[in-house]
Amino acid sequence: MESAKKKEILNSYLEALKEWRYWKDETERLMVAATGASPSLSHGGGTGTSKVELAAESLEDARRELTAAANAMSKARRQVLAVIKTAPTADQRIVLRRRYINGMNWEQIAEACGKSRQWATMTHGEALKKIFLTS
């Protein structure tokens, strides 16, 4: 069970990165949409709020979510790097960084290290046994 918890922590940065990328793309999409709006657009749904104001509100919400996602991503990255530092060998730390920070697959890790895929997965497995979760 501890191995599953370690993987969950190690995967937390890449998950946070996905969330951040979503909000970054959403913010950019809303900015493009908002710049295409003009003050002469009709008012939205009878609320007394114009489409421009609604677009600005949506953009502001997305920016808040983007900031929160960036903070979560940064925190997760620090936590993952702290756990990776507990691996006893440089090879183990490199494999873990490439997997959980760079998001590389086994083949990419093996190629980058000049080793086999089997070496990459075995080194990863050894590292999982040796690392410990930091508080």
Side-chain angles (χ1 to χ4, degrees), residues 26-31 34 54-64:
E26 185 66 3
T27 300
E28 289 171 1
R29 183 189 69 75
L30 288 168
M31 284 181 68
L54 291 173
E57 187 177 315
S58 294
L59 179 57
E60 187 56 37
D61 289 345
R63 285 182 174 153
R64 275 193 294 277

Side-chain angles (χ1 to χ4, degrees), residues 60-132:
E60 187 56 37
D61 289 345
R63 285 182 174 153
R64 275 193 294 277
E65 292 290 344
L66 178 62
T67 299
N71 291 337
M73 181 180 64
S74 180
K75 180 181 177 183
R77 188 174 195 278
R78 283 191 306 273
Q79 183 178 21
V80 170
L81 287 171
V83 170
I84 289 172
K85 284 182 182 180
T86 69
T89 71
D91 282 342
Q92 290 172 356
R93 291 187 297 273
I94 289 166
V95 166
L96 292 174
R97 273 189 222 103
R98 287 187 168 146
R99 181 76 174 177
Y100 297 106
I101 299 297
N102 299 66
M104 296 171 114
N105 64 35
W106 299 122
E107 290 77 15
Q108 292 168 326
I109 294 169
E111 184 178 332
C113 293
K115 306 283 186 173
S116 69
R117 183 187 191 284
Q118 182 181 9
W119 174 87
T121 58
M122 287 177 55
T123 302
H124 176 265
E126 291 168 8
L128 278 182
K129 291 176 190 171
K130 304 279 183 171
I131 61 173
F132 57 90

